[in-house]
Amino acid sequence: MEITLKSATLFVAIILTGLSAGFFYAWQVSVITGTKKVMDPTYMETMQHINREILNPSFFLIFFGSMIVLAISTFQQYGSGVTFWRLLGATVSYTLGTFVVTGAGNVPLNNELNALKLTKMSALELTEFRQYYESKWNVLHRMRTIFSVIAFVLSLLAAFSSAKNI
């Protein structure tokens, strides 16, 4: 079996999208359930630290790389029938449902949280901000998790349809 640039790009798109979907899913079923059990000051401080530490090359590789390589693979598969359409669906799902939701929803909330001086806030202020932040953030996170998983499944289905044409 000959490995082409087109098949290698599709393979990388699937790996990156799978890593992204796995990251968001693991967060949904572990970090969110764990942080629901901690007190407000602990939650707020923990989320501030996590939101700062997530900005690293490893995360950027899967978060941005998924969208970029999916788009490249979609372009390469133009005219390939069902493979193209599945990849286009994966690209749109990831771009709108994961990337845009994160950039327009989660990131602004994270920036609001990051700007807070937690040690200067009263217990009531911490509770009120947590309720505001956590409820919105978790809904947005659930959305991006669902759409990243959809993108992953569609990219896998694209590979299966592509393999039939080899």
Side-chain angles (χ1 to χ4, degrees), residues 81-94:
V82 71
T83 301
F84 167 77
W85 290 108
R86 288 174 176 169
L87 277 173
L88 182 61
T91 302
V92 169
S93 177
Y94 189 88

Side-chain angles (χ1 to χ4, degrees), residues 88-154:
L88 182 61
T91 302
V92 169
S93 177
Y94 189 88
T95 300
L96 297 178
T98 304
F99 187 80
V100 171
V101 166
T102 299
N106 296 90
V107 169
L109 286 169
N110 292 346
N111 291 341
E112 283 184 61
L113 175 60
N114 191 49
L116 296 178
K117 304 290 186 227
L118 300 178
T119 57
K120 299 193 186 288
M121 295 175 70
S122 70
L124 179 60
E125 290 170 324
L126 287 170
T127 298
E128 288 174 349
F129 188 84
R130 179 186 180 165
Q131 289 171 351
Y132 155 79
Y133 174 89
E134 186 176 29
S135 63
K136 289 181 186 230
W137 199 95
N138 286 351
V139 167
L140 292 166
H141 181 75
R142 193 172 314 112
M143 287 174 56
R144 67 187 180 175
T145 300
I146 291 166
F147 282 102
S148 65
V149 170
I150 289 170
F152 177 61
V153 169
L154 286 171

Side-chain angles (χ1 to χ4, degrees), residues 18-87:
L19 287 169
S20 186
F23 171 79
F24 289 124
Y25 177 78
W27 185 285
Q28 182 69 40
V29 300
S30 62
V31 175
I32 289 176
T33 57
T35 56
K36 285 183 179 183
K37 295 174 173 60
V38 299
M39 302 296 289
D40 296 338
T42 302
Y43 173 82
M44 303 283 279
E45 184 179 4
T46 299
M47 289 302 289
Q48 276 187 338
H49 288 294
I50 290 171
N51 290 336
R52 292 173 189 147
E53 295 303 318
I54 195 67
L55 304 176
N56 67 68
S58 296
F59 175 73
F60 291 151
L61 174 66
I62 66 165
F63 183 69
F64 293 107
S66 296
M67 183 177 62
I68 293 166
V69 182
L70 277 170
I72 292 168
S73 188
T74 301
F75 178 78
Q76 290 174 332
Q77 295 289 343
Y78 183 76
S80 298
V82 71
T83 301
F84 167 77
W85 290 108
R86 288 174 176 169
L87 277 173

